[in-house]
């Protein structure tokens, strides 16, 4: 005869299960994710737990695994949750499990797939009138819209979610949405409304003793202080967060360190800034958080900019650009487009400054790099180079002579012929320039422009003696632009030449240029007004200022 549980035993078991749920929820609120995962695992394996509890525990466990940075385990558990909910015929459980699956895709950067799963979950929740699930999913759809940069749509979704939670009496969840509403207002430039939303969320989290969300809103308040230049207040708010102990996720720690690093940089403490931004970068690696990694790398580039460490800045700008581009491929479109535009502007600003610092050694070639960049971009554009390639091509043109930093000033400014030894030093500048950017993985043609812009079509150039089509196309373009500017600019050893005379010299220089490129450029130059040139051109063109 099989033993059966008595009513009293069932009641005790039910109370034990409820206690596990409550303990797990408390652990979540306090940010003790390992404790929470342990209790959810016990619930999933508990034979006395009912289907609703076990389905919920699977979903909650997946969310906690995600907080712990174990995205693979999270997805495995959530797929099991969706399958179990489908087998049980629970539309509510299906909707909520799909919602968390979407969160995993969202944190991994695949916004298209995340939005598709959120939409699927919302339709399921809507079909059964599950108000709580609808409020939750609207909140997440607002987050996706926010990441895409559609802040008005995000704000609308967040307000819908907030109203849903308010009607349900879920003050804690409503406060989480208020935090998101604050972020949306901040991005829209309404900082007063953002501050009000954060303050209300902070009060509610305090009343509900929700430590994890109190910490999140604290980060956003620090960010708001930084955005408005209130660095002392930002530091006062950040200092207590640095002292926190316990189980705090790597992404959250990284955000704290990033903020402290930025505050230190803005207050002129570069050593402290480097320390905390470095720690933030380590946290981003640990959490596999690409967006945090890109943000921190960009902030490090800004730090190196203030220190005039151009090489380090270039390397970090390049890495940040690559990370944002990778996120762009995963459809974080609007944010990344804005950030890329800012990064590219900084790249060009840095290149101008670096080029100017080199040219300052030679007063005869002031503005040479900028003029060469202008001429080269005109020629590259006429050859069909696309806009993105043209950006990196322009950067390479601005940096093409950076290797001249090794050339003594007296050699650069020498009025007479160079000695064999001096010429040997001068000829090393392409390789020296490449050494300066050796650890920077530039896209496009930057490296080949720096190294090979003194190669000749006939193979007698330097440093590699490349011939004809062996010479990178971008370097061939740069060679034409470089020589044209050199000829039409006054140098230490001669006056500037007119366009007609420069064209004559270049055409008679047999074997130096790609014939097709030379013809195309000289035809353009003969029919274009070039500022500052003694030329017969008669058609106004885009000014140099628009190209550099």
């Amino acid at each position: 005869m099989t033993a059966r549980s008595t009513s009293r035993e069932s009641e005790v078991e039910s109370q034990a299960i409820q206690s596990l749920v409550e303990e797990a929820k408390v652990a979540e609120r306090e940010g003790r994710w390992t404790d929470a995962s342990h209790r959810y695992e016990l619930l999933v394996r508990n034979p006395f737990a009912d289907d609703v509890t076990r389905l919920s525990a699977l979903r909650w466990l997946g969310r906690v695994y995600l907080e712990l940075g174990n995205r693979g385990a999270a997805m495995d558990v959530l797929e099991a949750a969706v399958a179990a909910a489908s087998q049980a015929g629970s539309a509510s459980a299906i909707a909520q499990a799909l919602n968390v699956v979407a969160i995993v895709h969202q944190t991994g950067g695949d916004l298209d797939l995340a939005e598709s799963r959120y939409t699927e979950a919302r339709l399921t929740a809507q079909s059964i009138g599950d108000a709580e699930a609808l409020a939750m999913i609207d909140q997440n759809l607002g987050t996706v819209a926010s990441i895409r940069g559609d802040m008005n749509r995000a704000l609308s979704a967040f307000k819908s979610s907030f109203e849903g939670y308010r009607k349900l009496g879920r003050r804690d969840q409503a406060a989480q949405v208020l935090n998101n509403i604050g972020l949306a207002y901040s991005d829209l430039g309404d900082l007063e409304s953002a501050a009000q939303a954060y303050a209300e969320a902070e009060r509610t989290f305090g009343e509900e003793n929700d430590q994890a969300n109190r910490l999140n809103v604290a980060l956003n308040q620090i960010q708001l202080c930084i955005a408005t230049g209130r660095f002392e207040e930002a530091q006062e708010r950040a200092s207590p967060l640095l002292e926190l102990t316990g189980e705090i996720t790597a992404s959250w720690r990284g955000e704290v360190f990033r903020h402290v690093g930025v505050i230190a940089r803005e207050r002129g403490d570069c050593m402290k800034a480097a320390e905390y931004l470095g720690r933030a970068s380590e946290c981003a690696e640990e959490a596999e958080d690409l967006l945090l990694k890109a943000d921190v790398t960009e902030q490090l580039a800004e730090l190196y900019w203030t220190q005039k460490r151009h090489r380090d800045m270039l390397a970090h700008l390049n890495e940040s650009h690559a990370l944002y581009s990778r996120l762009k491929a995963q459809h974080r479109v609007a944010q990344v487009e804005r950030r890329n535009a800012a990064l590219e502007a900084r790249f060009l600003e840095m290149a101008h400054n670096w080029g100017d610092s080199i040219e300052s050694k030679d007063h005869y070639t002031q503005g040479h790099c900028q003029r060469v960049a202008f001429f080269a971009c005109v020629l590259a554009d006429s050859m069909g180079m696309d806009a993105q390639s043209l950006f990196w091509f322009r950067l390479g043109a601005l940096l093409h002579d950076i290797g001249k930093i090794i050339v003594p000033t007296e050699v650069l400014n020498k009025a007479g012929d160079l000695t064999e030894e001096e010429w040997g030093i001068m000829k090393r500048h392409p390789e020296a320039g490449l050494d300066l950017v050796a650890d920077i993985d530039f896209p496009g043609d930057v490296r080949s422009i720096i190294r090979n812009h003194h190669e000749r079509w006939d193979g007698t150039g330097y440093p590699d003696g490349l011939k004809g089509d062996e010479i990178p196309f971008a370097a061939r373009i740069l060679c034409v632009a470089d020589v044209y500017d050199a000829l039409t600019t006054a140098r230490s050893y001669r006056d500037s030449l007119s366009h007609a005379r420069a064209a004559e010299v270049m055409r008679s220089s047999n074997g130096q240029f790609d014939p097709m490129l030379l013809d195309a450029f000289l035809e353009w130059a003969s029919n274009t007004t070039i500022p500052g040139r003694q030329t017969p051109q008669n058609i106004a063109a885009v000014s140099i200022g628009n190209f550099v």
Side-chain angles (χ1 to χ4, degrees):
M1 183 175 178
T2 304
R4 295 181 181 277
S5 297
T6 66
S7 173
R8 176 59 181 163
E9 289 172 339
S10 296
E11 183 179 345
V12 171
E13 290 159 359
S14 177
Q15 289 174 350
I17 289 169
Q18 185 59 36
S19 293
L20 271 177
V21 172
E22 291 173 358
E23 290 169 6
K25 290 300 179 184
V26 169
E28 277 198 63
R29 286 195 296 271
E30 295 178 354
R32 294 182 287 110
W33 301 109
T34 298
D35 288 346
S37 68
H38 176 65
R39 284 161 174 76
Y40 288 141
E41 287 166 359
L42 291 176
L43 284 169
V44 169
R45 294 195 298 265
N46 194 317
F48 299 105
D50 59 32
D51 287 347
V52 172
T53 301
R54 295 176 73 180
L55 287 173
S56 297
L58 269 175
R59 182 176 70 252
W60 295 331
L61 180 59
R63 188 71 178 87
V64 169
Y65 280 155
L66 184 59
E67 291 291 344
L68 287 168
N70 194 340
R71 186 172 283 107
M75 187 58 77
D76 288 343
V77 169
L78 292 168
E79 287 176 350
V82 173
S86 300
Q87 185 175 3
S90 173
S92 178
I94 293 171
Q96 295 193 52
L98 283 171
N99 177 68
V100 186
V101 168
I103 291 172
V104 177
H105 290 308
Q106 177 185 316
T107 58
D110 194 337
L111 294 192
D112 282 347
L113 190 51
E115 187 168 19
S116 175
R117 292 293 179 268
Y118 284 138
T119 302
E120 184 182 353
R122 196 182 194 286
L123 289 172
T124 302
Q126 196 170 32
S127 70
I128 58 173
D130 189 333
E132 183 174 3
L134 285 171
M136 175 174 56
I137 296 163
D138 280 341
Q139 179 182 1
N140 292 332
L141 283 169
T143 301
V144 171
S146 176
I147 293 172
R148 292 190 188 281
D150 190 345
M151 302 316 301
N152 288 310
R153 181 182 169 197
L155 191 56
S156 176
F158 289 145
K159 287 182 175 179
S160 176
S161 174
F162 176 76
E163 186 62 21
Y165 281 129
R166 189 189 64 78
K167 288 181 178 178
L168 289 166
R170 296 294 304 275
R171 295 181 71 248
D172 55 341
Q173 297 294 333
Q176 289 182 34
V177 182
L178 270 175
N179 191 27
N180 290 332
I181 287 173
L183 284 169
Y185 275 130
S186 182
D187 281 345
L188 287 169
D190 188 347
L191 302 185
E192 183 177 349
S193 295
Q196 291 173 357
Y198 291 148
E200 186 178 347
E202 183 182 31
R203 282 193 300 272
T204 304
F205 290 142
E207 292 167 3
E208 296 292 323
N209 196 29
D210 189 338
Q211 178 71 357
N213 281 306
R214 284 183 70 187
L215 296 178
N216 287 334
V217 77
L219 285 176
N220 293 334
Q221 289 172 316
I222 294 169
Q223 180 65 49
L224 189 62
C225 289
I226 292 172
T228 52
R230 293 177 287 135
F231 299 115
E232 293 293 335
E233 182 182 347
Q235 184 61 49
E236 289 176 6
R237 289 180 175 274
S239 294
L241 303 185
L242 289 173
E243 299 171 3
L244 290 176
T245 58
E247 196 172 298
I248 304 298
T249 64
S251 286
W252 190 89
R253 293 197 312 273
E255 291 288 358
V256 175
F257 294 148
R258 178 171 70 91
H259 287 326
V260 174
V262 170
I263 294 166
R265 186 191 67 211
E266 295 302 316
R267 297 172 76 184
D269 190 342
C270 293
M271 184 175 296
K272 183 177 179 181
E275 176 191 350
Y276 279 98
L277 289 174
R279 292 169 71 178
S281 183
E282 292 172 0
C283 289
E285 293 283 358
E286 179 184 343
E288 299 180 356
D289 190 329
L290 291 184
L291 187 56
L292 175 59
K293 178 68 173 177
D295 287 342
V296 173
T297 306
E298 183 187 2
Q299 296 302 333
L300 279 166
E302 290 289 336
L303 172 63
Y304 297 138
W305 172 261
T306 65
Q307 297 176 305
K308 300 187 183 303
R309 293 168 56 182
H310 291 151
R311 182 172 180 173
D312 289 331
M313 182 198 168
L314 258 180
H316 282 75
L317 272 182
N318 181 258
E319 182 182 358
S320 181
H321 193 283
L323 287 166
Y324 283 126
S325 297
R326 181 176 171 188
L327 288 169
K328 180 179 179 180
Q330 296 167 341
H331 310 293
R332 295 180 186 253
V333 179
Q335 279 190 343
V336 174
E337 284 290 353
R338 291 197 301 272
R339 199 64 64 87
N340 271 348
L343 285 175
E344 290 177 355
R346 180 51 59 86
F347 262 121
L348 290 176
E349 184 181 4
M350 186 284 310
H352 285 309
N353 288 350
W354 201 347
D356 288 347
S357 68
I358 295 164
E359 289 175 2
S360 67
K361 297 175 63 177
D362 180 0
H363 62 272
Y364 288 98
T365 61
Q366 290 293 301
H368 169 69
C369 291
Q370 295 186 21
R371 293 190 300 271
V372 169
F374 166 59
F375 293 138
C377 284
V378 168
L379 182 53
D381 183 58
S382 73
M383 293 293 109
M385 187 175 289
D386 64 81
Q388 186 61 29
S389 298
L390 198 62
F391 168 78
W392 292 108
F393 176 84
R394 181 179 298 125
L395 186 70
L398 288 167
L399 295 176
H400 77 279
D401 267 344
I402 59 171
K404 284 186 177 179
I405 199 168
I406 70 161
V407 181
T409 303
E410 59 272 18
V411 174
L412 287 174
N413 291 308
K414 187 173 182 179
D417 293 337
L418 298 180
T419 66
E420 184 176 344
E421 180 181 0
E422 290 168 339
W423 180 236
I425 294 173
M426 183 71 80
K427 289 177 67 174
R428 289 205 300 271
H429 83 266
E431 293 171 285
L434 199 62
D435 287 341
L436 283 172
V437 297
D439 55 353
I440 303 174
D441 185 20
F442 281 116
D445 303 304
V446 175
R447 295 170 67 85
S448 62
I449 287 172
I450 293 172
R451 181 177 181 88
N452 299 120
H453 65 278
H454 282 295
E455 304 289 353
R456 291 175 55 100
W457 187 252
D458 61 8
T460 62
Y462 62 91
D464 299 317
L466 302 179
K467 181 178 182 180
D469 291 337
E470 294 175 352
I471 306 170
F473 189 63
R476 282 182 263 156
I477 292 175
L478 202 288
C479 178
V480 173
D482 192 27
V483 172
Y484 182 81
D485 183 71
L487 291 173
T488 56
T489 303
R491 311 309 287 265
S492 59
Y493 47 87
R494 58 156 174 76
D495 292 331
S496 62
L497 304 182
S498 67
H499 164 76
R501 178 58 182 144
E504 181 182 346
V505 170
M506 293 178 77
R507 290 190 187 282
S508 65
S509 181
N510 295 326
Q512 184 169 4
F513 308 104
D514 179 328
M516 177 192 70
L517 294 177
L518 180 63
D519 287 345
F521 179 78
L522 292 179
E523 180 180 358
W524 168 82
S526 66
N527 291 289
T528 303
T529 298
I530 303 173
R533 288 287 185 272
Q534 303 173 13
T535 58
Q537 296 90 325
N538 52 28
I539 298 178
V542 179
S543 71
I544 290 178
N546 288 336
F547 276 86
V548 297

